Amino acid sequence: MAGRRSTGGRERGYVRKRGNSHQVLVYAGVDPVTGKDSYLSESTRDEKKIPEIRSRLLAKVDRQRNAATKATLSYALDAWLEVHEADESTLDRYRELAERTIGPALGDVPISKLGARALEQFYAQLRRCGARCDGKPFVEHRTADAHECRVVVKHRWPPGRPSVKSRAEHDCDAAGCRVAECRPHVCKPLSAGTVRKVHFVISGALAAAVRWEWIDSNPAAEAKKPKQAPPQPQPPTSDEGSRIITAAWAQDFAWGMLIWLKMVTGARRGELLALHWHDLHLDQGVLEIRRNFTHRNGKAREKDTKTHQMRRISLDPGTVELLATHRLNCQEQLAALGVAFDESAFVFSYEADHSRPCNPDGVSHRYAEMCTRLGIKSHLHTLRHYSATELISSGVDIRTVAGRLGHGGGGTTTLRVYAAWVAESDRQAANVLAGRLPKPGSTGRSD
């Protein structure tokens, strides 16, 4: 069957026989991801329907070519980020994905030309290599400017804000500073979770474009995104937890207090660092979580908690006593400086006057180094898992565990993340009940 031709002579529509079916193909332009010719296609076993199908596909291509707007994806992303409601740290992350990951690949593509297939190919490329390389070896240079490939040192400074003196006395060998240079590219695939975030950003921008009548439909709504991997928390064991807290106390009391509180409350890192003394009600044995502290791209912020809800966590007498000692140490430290103690001071700080909280990344790095010296594979967030698993294994109900962790959904998130430990706790419960009931032929309890 003859197909119509474009002004350039390219065949726009043709049919090919595939078994008992007729496949209608219509040229739709160059694929924005692969650079190859792209075709819309549809199959039918009824030869009489071929003209109808070809006309429909041609009309779809013509609508794309004559869209009401020529806006590119980068333009749509910028417009969406201007109006999207989210906290600053979340918006910063979206902007980073838009600039570093989405923009270089699809930023110049008109949104009217984007389709679900192009997006799925883009996601597949990111899952193979975050740099979307073509598989051929090349050198990753430290800078795009003209330079000679040479060795540079990436220093590792101690936690906190290093002074000029500490930098001058810095021992690279002792600190474990790394040597970096222009080196051959090694593919680093993006995780499924990161690609899902990329999809969310693209989908949000295209959904806004639909609302603004720039395009008729959102292709990201049809695109298949990577599956969400099931959570597999790996908390320290009870023995490892004891070794970790012992090592923390050995370093200094304030550091030990931070790790202790992380383990017994399961609070998020930023939530603990945002604590002021007026958030601790030691006479009632209660800790109030009201804020979260973040430090990203050089910007330090106190903001709402992740769930935007305040929560009160009960403290045991031993923890209350330790916090009272930590408070006394803080008061004595301030008195030595001639500074009056203020309830608005931060509970955990590297500053002598406790005027600002510890740097979140510095805390995480310090914890990781401590665990490395102990021979334990762990990062700071696993202490949140440690708290949850210890509580569940001890028989504490899910709703209580969820409340202490600050999980939303009445425990749904807690069940999803810690299902393995819930199952183990359930088996223990079964053994307890079975042990209290008499077996056939016995005269009393089986235990």
Side-chain angles (χ1 to χ4, degrees):
M1 181 175 182
R4 291 188 293 172
R5 296 180 178 274
S6 65
T7 55
R10 182 187 295 275
E11 189 175 49
R12 295 190 64 199
Y14 67 96
V15 182
R16 62 184 179 185
K17 193 77 180 299
R18 308 200 72 174
N20 295 327
S21 298
H22 303 276
Q23 186 182 29
V24 184
L25 298 99
V26 172
Y27 177 70
V30 178
D31 188 285
V33 175
T34 63
K36 299 180 180 179
D37 288 348
S38 175
Y39 290 84
L40 299 182
S41 67
E42 187 174 333
S43 298
T44 181
R45 292 192 176 187
D46 188 350
E47 188 173 358
K48 296 180 180 179
K49 292 184 178 180
I50 291 177
E52 175 189 342
I53 293 173
R54 189 181 64 170
S55 297
R56 183 168 62 251
L57 295 180
L58 286 169
K60 185 175 181 180
V61 171
D62 290 337
R63 283 198 304 271
Q64 291 178 344
R65 291 179 177 175
N66 300 294
T69 179
K70 299 296 183 181
T72 63
L73 182 57
S74 285
Y75 183 86
L77 286 168
D78 291 340
W80 175 66
L81 288 170
E82 287 181 2
V83 300
H84 183 62
E85 294 185 3
D87 61 66
E88 279 301 315
S89 59
T90 301
L91 290 175
D92 284 344
R93 176 57 174 156
Y94 291 169
R95 293 188 187 101
E96 182 179 319
L97 290 173
E99 294 172 3
R100 297 186 181 182
T101 305
I102 304 171
L106 301 175
D108 294 332
V109 178
I111 56 177
S112 59
K113 302 294 185 182
L114 277 176
R117 178 171 172 270
L119 293 177
E120 289 180 14
Q121 286 182 317
F122 176 50
Y123 301 155
Q125 289 176 351
L126 295 178
R127 293 290 286 131
R128 289 192 293 269
C129 177
R132 300 176 60 250
C133 70
D134 57 6
K136 298 178 181 179
F138 67 96
V139 175
E140 287 187 340
H141 296 284
R142 292 178 287 104
T143 175
D145 299 332
H147 69 284
E148 292 184 6
C149 296
R150 58 184 177 83
V151 174
V152 295
V153 178
K154 291 188 175 181
H155 296 284
R156 299 184 66 183
W157 307 111
R161 296 161 55 184
S163 63
V164 175
K165 181 180 179 182
S166 65
R167 287 178 183 267
E169 299 174 350
H170 180 66
D171 186 339
C172 289
D173 292 334
C177 299
R178 291 194 302 112
V179 175
E181 58 185 339
C182 301
R183 60 187 64 195
H185 168 72
V186 177
C187 290
K188 296 179 181 178
L190 296 188
S191 68
T194 300
V195 178
R196 286 173 68 89
K197 288 187 178 70
V198 168
H199 171 80
F200 176 83
V201 172
I202 294 175
S203 181
L206 294 179
V210 172
R211 293 195 303 273
W212 298 331
E213 299 182 351
W214 291 0
I215 50 178
D216 293 330
S217 62
N218 181 357
E222 303 297 328
K224 184 179 179 181
K225 56 184 178 292
K227 293 182 179 180
Q228 180 67 60
Q232 295 182 346
Q234 296 180 327
T237 63
S238 297
D239 176 66
E240 289 174 339
S242 298
R243 292 172 57 201
I244 288 171
I245 191 59
T246 299
W249 288 124
Q251 289 193 17
D252 62 74
F253 191 89
W255 175 244
M257 187 72 256
L258 175 58
I259 301 303
W260 175 280
L261 206 58
K262 177 74 173 171
M263 298 174 82
V264 300
T265 65
R268 299 177 178 88
R269 177 186 66 177
E271 293 173 342
L272 291 180
L273 297 183
L275 285 176
H276 299 262
W277 283 110
H278 55 64
D279 295 321
L280 300 180
H281 305 283
L282 300 184
D283 56 335
Q284 303 173 26
V286 171
L287 179 153
E288 289 186 354
I289 300 290
R290 292 181 174 273
R291 292 165 300 278
N292 185 38
F293 178 74
T294 62
H295 192 278
R296 187 178 180 83
N297 296 330
K299 300 177 183 177
R301 302 187 189 94
E302 278 190 81
K303 60 176 188 175
D304 286 345
T305 61
K306 186 173 182 179
T307 57
H308 306 287
Q309 292 180 335
M310 183 273 286
R311 67 184 188 276
R312 293 165 62 88
I313 300 177
S314 297
L315 303 174
D316 63 279
T319 299
V320 170
E321 184 178 348
L322 290 170
L323 283 169
T325 302
H326 180 51
R327 179 188 176 99
L328 181 61
N329 292 343
C330 178
Q331 291 173 331
E332 293 176 349
Q333 182 180 3
L334 292 175
L337 297 173
V339 179
F341 177 78
D342 191 335
E343 292 287 340
S344 64
F346 287 95
V347 177
F348 300 106
S349 174
Y350 289 128
E351 302 293 329
D353 59 356
H354 283 238
S355 60
R356 59 180 295 168
C358 301
N359 181 281
D361 289 337
V363 170
S364 294
H365 294 160
R366 183 176 179 180
Y367 175 82
E369 290 177 356
M370 181 179 70
C371 289
T372 299
R373 288 195 294 269
L374 293 173
I376 298 174
K377 187 178 180 180
S378 176
H379 54 83
L380 190 62
H381 191 73
T382 60
L383 295 187
R384 183 168 163 84
H385 300 317
Y386 170 86
S387 178
T389 54
E390 290 292 312
L391 291 175
I392 293 173
S393 300
S394 299
V396 179
D397 65 278
I398 292 296
R399 289 184 65 87
T400 300
V401 176
R404 291 181 69 86
L405 296 179
H407 280 163
T412 303
T413 302
T414 313
L415 277 171
R416 179 174 59 85
V417 176
Y418 302 103
W421 282 271
V422 173
E424 178 61 29
S425 182
D426 186 56
R427 282 191 290 271
Q428 294 177 10
N431 293 332
V432 169
L433 288 176
R436 294 181 178 180
L437 298 173
K439 299 293 190 301
S442 65
T443 58
R445 287 168 47 163
S446 60
D447 58 351

